[in-house]
Amino acid sequence: MNSVASQNFSARTRLATLLMAGTMLAGPAFAQAVQPPAVAAPTIPVPAAEATPAATTIRSITVTGNQRLEAQTILSYLRLRVGQDYNRSTLDQALKDLAATELFKDFQISDDNGALTIQVAENPVINRVILEGNKRLKEDKVRPEIKLAPRQIFTRSKVRADVARIIELYKRQGRFAATVEPKMVSLDQNRVDVVFEINEGPKSKVRQINIIGNDKFSDGDLKDEMATKESGLLTILSSNTSYDPDRLAYDQQKLRLFYLSNGYADFRVISAVAELTSNKQDFIITYVVEEGERYKFGKVDVESELRDFRPETLKALLPMKEGDWYNAKQVEDTVESLSETAGLFGYAFADINPEFRRDPETKTMAITFNVAESPRTYVERIDVNGNTLTQDKVVRREFRLNEGDAFNSFGVKRTENRINSLGYFQENLTIERKEGSAPDRIILETNVEEKPTGELSLSAGFSSIENFLLQASIRQRNFRGLGQQLQASVNYSSYSKSVELGFTEPYLFDRNISIGGSIYRRDLNSFNFINNDRRTTFQQVTTGAQVTVGVPLTEYLSAFGRYSLNFDDVTLDRSLYYFGDQCDPLIAGRYLCDAIGNRTTSLLGFTLAYDDRDNRIRPTRGQALSISQDFAGLGGSVKYVRTRANASKHFNLGSRFILNVSAEGGYIYPFGGRPTPTSDKVRLTDRFFLGEPQMRGFDIRGIGPRVIRYANVDLTDPANPILDTSLSNRNGQIDDALGGRAYYQGRLEVDIPLGSGAKELGLRPSVFLDVGSVFGVKRPTLTTLANFKDPTDNLTKYLCRNASTGTQQFATRPVDSTTGQPTGNQYTACPTGFTPLAPFEERFFGDTWMPRVSIGAGVNWNSPFGPFRIDFAYALRKEEGDDTKRFSFNVGTQF
């Protein structure tokens, strides 16, 4: 019994020994250890004092097997010391202390008459932690949650804890079938790689929602009120089909609110149970409800202890009346409305308590709104937190309240809207109200979360209007954290090219005066189509600069003044439209020939703008109105007055449906004479144009006055020269939009909310109705078949031109060899040195104020490749000559 081997304490066998009252270790110190009695031997009771072995003194302590840890470090975890008496319980506690460190995968204590040897096998060090199989949940979401990390000591308890954390993460994502299998790969130098093999499994959907106990409302009505939806084809884009315990509790509150808003004051949810199917892929949710009786409002009254609140006046403003069906939501809104009203009078912490008196016999609910006395509140301090780039003054200057002012809830709400409209911070910012150093003091705390305001992009894409397009731009909307805007951009497409530099200071010298300026060069190519071939008609190159100054007149009304100087050069393709050195009206049309040339425009203008929208970037309510005028003629070669008016209003229809109603119009009044005696006083490039993208359902410049030149003309039939007069087939036609002096446009558009899944994808669909027209231009002089008639015989002939001399003459008819007289009525041959001009006829369409109307649907998508907009529209009403288009899209990408 004195051998060391027989006195070993092994951690592996010790756990089983501690759970049993069996033999521990044999040795001198434990000679009287309890042994199992023989079958036939009589039971001899052992006194408790004799069951405890005698203590022995520790003579020495030796630690073996340690590699990284010092012996003294291991001994510091134990209560064993040389010269100390010990017994069996002392060594048991030592084993427990070693286990508690979680530093060793195996350990034991050997005793040789007081000479203790502690033999340990250290846990390995973690070299790497590897995640495998996680596709739906990326590593940046998982790693912050797990505790194991490189250079830490490996323990099984930590592995189990991390497995549980990873599974919990997947449960939050609705993947209850996810499994995690940890594996350990042994390396040299007592190191290991820990590998978590993850099987994510399918997303656990809500297969079915059962409701028991509902008699007054159908299952469909109640399911529509819930945030959780049953999985199916109609909810394929929604993320609310996955099971979420928090959403389950929220749905119970939604059910209760729905019933309370419909008069069922006794409604309650008895139970809500979510059952996971055996394959862990679906949930079945069952609600048991008790509807109760329906109540009506009884007597509704207001009692106020505030001297500025007269109960009689407030009672007349209450939305509910005695005898109406009880509506808890209406009561809640009334409390909020009274609180806001109290805030207007400076009572920030007004205590408004509705007192309910239920009468089960008459099924009525009487309510008294008690407005308790509270002190008038003043703003003690305004705190701005969270801004690292943006300077405090940029946020503070948007406040409609100052420190020391009487509190006003309207001013706080207006401040929130103005800060949100800056676009520098995350959306839905709110200003918290905190009690100040005294009951009549309040602290307004603004906690902002900045978002990037700098934009550096290089975009390429394809547009149904502009074909291939390229854009490079740099823009900083919060330059130096002062709210200044700096931008530079270069755009290139087959339709337009431009370069622009601009800068805006919103608060000049810290005063509420904005000033901005820009210099630019813009190259615009107007075009039309022959068959499917795109052909440029005229090119306008504009070089100029503009300065703008703005000042607020009231909280919502602002005035802006501007001056711009532009140099324009309008040209036509000489190879197509010129004959010699002159623009040829027979080829280009007189309206295009009148537009060419250089001109200078000196433009002075102003704008009056009213804007009370809750958010200028993405408004949900409010209106914006503006009227502007530009006077051209303070120098320069162009003289006119251009007037424009715009109006828009947003309505929150509830359930996140937003209606936008907008209208605009304009008119140009010219001064001075015409460029030519036959042309309009307003040049082609200064007129209004309308079409895609302003009017969906019509092509670009597809509405308004235009000249269509028919090229498929048969001159042998003067009575019916045009072979195809169908405007639906534009093949063989040249369509030149002329624009107009006046235009108007209106729009109705409803933004349709989608589920959170589609919202996360950046999808924002809408339906719309567009109406508008452009009109008011002098009828151009057209080239008709009469130009080709020979007055001697009144026959229609081909017109021939000599390219070297520029002279023109008619084609000749064949001559009879016998008589020498012309034969037939067709002129097909040009004289020597002359070439025939292609025959055509021009017709004028579209100069009318009658409205064009289109309806359609579209969707905006903030795709990973850049912004994408697609529209389907149908023209309900159009005029002869208009060019319609049902489908349009615009897409770009960033790289």
Side-chain angles (χ1 to χ4, degrees), residues 316-328:
L317 299 177
L318 295 179
M320 69 282 294
K321 305 298 179 184
E322 186 174 354
D324 294 345
W325 289 112
Y326 173 71
N327 188 330

Side-chain angles (χ1 to χ4, degrees), residues 632-792:
L634 301 177
S637 57
V638 179
K639 300 180 185 299
Y640 62 78
V641 176
R642 180 173 59 204
T643 304
R644 285 182 175 178
N646 293 270
S648 67
K649 187 173 181 62
H650 290 80
F651 301 88
N652 191 333
L653 304 180
S655 300
R656 297 187 291 119
F657 284 88
I658 305 298
L659 169 65
N660 172 230
V661 182
S662 63
E664 62 178 284
Y667 184 78
I668 296 179
Y669 182 79
F671 294 101
R674 296 182 173 88
T676 63
T678 60
S679 65
D680 195 286
K681 289 185 177 182
V682 180
R683 291 178 181 266
L684 176 68
T685 53
D686 292 326
R687 299 172 194 161
F688 297 114
F689 291 89
L690 200 59
E692 187 187 5
Q694 303 98 326
M695 279 283 294
R696 292 159 290 191
F698 295 87
D699 207 345
I700 183 171
R701 299 189 174 192
I703 294 175
R706 62 208 323 102
V707 170
I708 296 180
R709 177 177 290 198
Y710 297 87
N712 49 355
V713 174
D714 182 8
L715 296 181
T716 63
D717 185 5
N720 187 27
I722 302 177
L723 297 179
D724 184 5
T725 60
S726 172
L727 288 175
S728 61
N729 179 16
R730 293 298 174 97
N731 292 338
Q733 302 173 11
I734 301 175
D735 186 349
D736 289 319
L738 304 184
R741 294 188 185 184
Y743 86 100
Y744 66 87
Q745 182 189 1
R747 175 177 299 171
L748 290 174
E749 188 159 10
V750 178
D751 290 340
I752 301 174
L754 295 178
S756 57
K759 186 177 180 181
E760 291 171 0
L761 292 175
L763 295 175
R764 290 191 299 113
S766 63
V767 294
F768 56 83
L769 181 146
D770 290 345
V771 59
S773 180
V774 59
F775 54 94
V777 67
K778 177 180 174 60
R779 182 182 180 90
T781 302
L782 304 177
T783 303
T784 65
L785 289 177
N787 298 97
F788 296 103
K789 289 197 175 183
D790 186 343
T792 60

Side-chain angles (χ1 to χ4, degrees), residues 444-519:
L444 300 180
E445 185 175 283
T446 307
N447 296 308
V448 300
E449 182 180 350
E450 291 182 325
K451 64 180 181 181
T453 55
E455 301 171 5
L456 175 62
S457 65
L458 181 63
S459 304
F462 185 85
S463 168
S464 60
I465 299 176
E466 302 181 274
N467 294 335
F468 178 77
L469 55 92
L470 178 68
Q471 179 185 34
S473 66
I474 180 172
R475 181 187 182 198
Q476 175 54 259
R477 293 182 290 109
N478 189 14
F479 183 57
R480 299 189 300 157
L482 294 174
Q484 300 167 338
Q485 181 169 302
L486 179 66
Q487 62 180 8
S489 64
V490 177
N491 297 289
Y492 175 86
S493 72
S494 56
Y495 174 66
S496 63
K497 307 171 186 65
S498 67
V499 178
E500 184 169 355
L501 298 173
F503 176 79
T504 301
E505 167 58 69
Y507 276 75
L508 184 64
F509 305 124
D510 290 331
R511 296 181 178 273
N512 200 358
I513 300 174
S514 66
I515 185 169
S518 62
I519 57 175

Side-chain angles (χ1 to χ4, degrees), residues 457-460 757-763 860-869 890-895:
S457 65
L458 181 63
S459 304
K759 186 177 180 181
E760 291 171 0
L761 292 175
L763 295 175
N860 275 315
W861 179 31
N862 294 328
S863 72
F865 310 102
F868 182 93
R869 172 78 192 190
N890 198 329
V891 64
T893 184
Q894 294 187 349
F895 54 89

